[in-house]
Amino acid sequence: MKGFRSLAAALLLTSIAATASRAETLIASVSSHQIQISSNYTGDQLTVFGLVERGGRTVARGDPYDIVVTVRGPQRMLIVREKERLGPIWINRTQRRFVDRPIFLMVSSNRPLNEIVNEDAARRDRIGLANTQRNLPPELYYEESTVRFRQALIRILEDKGLYAQDERGVTFLSETLFSAPIDVPATAPTGSYEIEIALYSGGAMLARQTTNFEVIKTGIEQRLATGAHDHPFLYGLATAAMALLLGWLSSVIFRRD
């Protein structure tokens, strides 16, 4: 009987701990799960809507809620090369490979990230433009050359509109309801995109929710891409024939008698 009471008490404590750990949950959705690229595509915008749901017995927290929305695009192996001047020419001397790095990355929050979470927690939770790569040892993460190449990669992709960080991109419509727009530029690659919404309070992560959307080609762009992929030889012949035909037509039109 005593053992049964001990087991019951242990189960009760476990249940209480589990309930406490789920004091807040996130309910999030995106306005559209698909962006279609056509011939006149110039970019698009989605909106993430979310709600912080609190349990009936959840005690109000002393710190306000913070939301960080991270959008990660298709992953690629990206290479950054460092050029050095050798006499009158510039040559590539060193390079660094970044494996499984998202080619599109957008981070939005309701206030600056350094006010929401500290540097170590941001690296652990993969929060911020510099912390998206998984399983990077601390000694390599803080290595001078790694930091230099990582900053160069972020700067290059920011210039292309593929990396962005908005410290006021999340708006709380009420104490628990929020929204965040996601700008997808015309340069964004096709593929699957992951949206991760993280809830913080007092520097601690309380909940995390993920959803996704995809960018696809439609119309003639999709048919051409499919044809080039499925029938590369015929596509190459058709492209060469079209180039010859256009060259011949231009010579006829602009020929001087």
Side-chain angles (χ1 to χ4, degrees), residues 128-142:
L129 297 182
N131 300 314
T132 187
Q133 198 164 7
R134 296 179 184 271
N135 302 326
L136 199 63
E139 62 273 11
L140 183 59
Y141 179 87
Y142 293 108

Side-chain angles (χ1 to χ4, degrees), residues 106-121:
M106 191 206 73
V107 181
S108 293
S109 54
N110 59 298
R111 57 181 178 143
L113 289 179
N114 59 4
E115 298 178 8
I116 297 176
V117 63
N118 61 46
E119 185 177 356
D120 291 335

